[in-house]
Amino acid sequence: MGLLSPGRSLITLRKHSKNSEPFLSFSLTLVIRGNDLDIDWFTTYLGINPTQTYIFSGLENEEKDNAWYYRLTADDKCQLDSVSNNFFDTIRNVGVKLVDLNNIEARIILHVHAELAQVYFEFPEYMVDCLSQCRIPFSISIFDWGGIMKD
């Protein structure tokens, strides 16, 4: 069974015009940071290939923690449900694997970029259950142009 119920969407944009679709970009990211995070070992341990990694190179003004990222992105509303389902199906058991590890910080981040001021969120029960099982902190980042579509 998928994360979202049929006909239900994680995010809906309320628009004022039936003839024009507003811009929407959406991503879910699992970020894991650690001072001595061994990217290769961690990838094998989780059994998930990262979409991006970051290794501290020693520069003074640089982020000092290594980082491992798993990100899925949707560029339109039609992809939101499948991206959300795929993301949470992939990371469902990560939290259990992180419990015994020291010196790491994990977070799931929902990024939303939209051109309308009115963005409506609905977190279905399946998503709440998965977040609860993962036991990984969850953040929401919204970048919104705040425009109103005219008729």
Side-chain angles (χ1 to χ4, degrees), residues 30 44 48 62 80 98 107 113 128 143 147:
L30 170 62
T44 302
I48 301 171
E62 186 179 23
L80 292 178
L98 298 179
R107 178 165 304 279
H113 295 203
V128 174
F143 182 73

Side-chain angles (χ1 to χ4, degrees), residues 18-61:
K18 294 180 182 178
N19 300 327
S20 175
E21 286 295 320
F23 171 79
L24 170 67
S25 177
F26 157 89
S27 68
L28 279 162
T29 307
L30 170 62
V31 181
I32 300 170
R33 296 181 188 278
N35 193 8
D36 296 320
L37 185 68
D38 181 329
I39 300 294
D40 293 332
W41 179 88
F42 208 78
T43 298
T44 302
Y45 179 69
L46 292 181
I48 301 171
N49 288 322
T51 54
Q52 184 180 356
T53 60
Y54 169 80
I55 306 277
F56 174 59
S57 65
L59 296 175
E60 186 175 323
N61 293 327

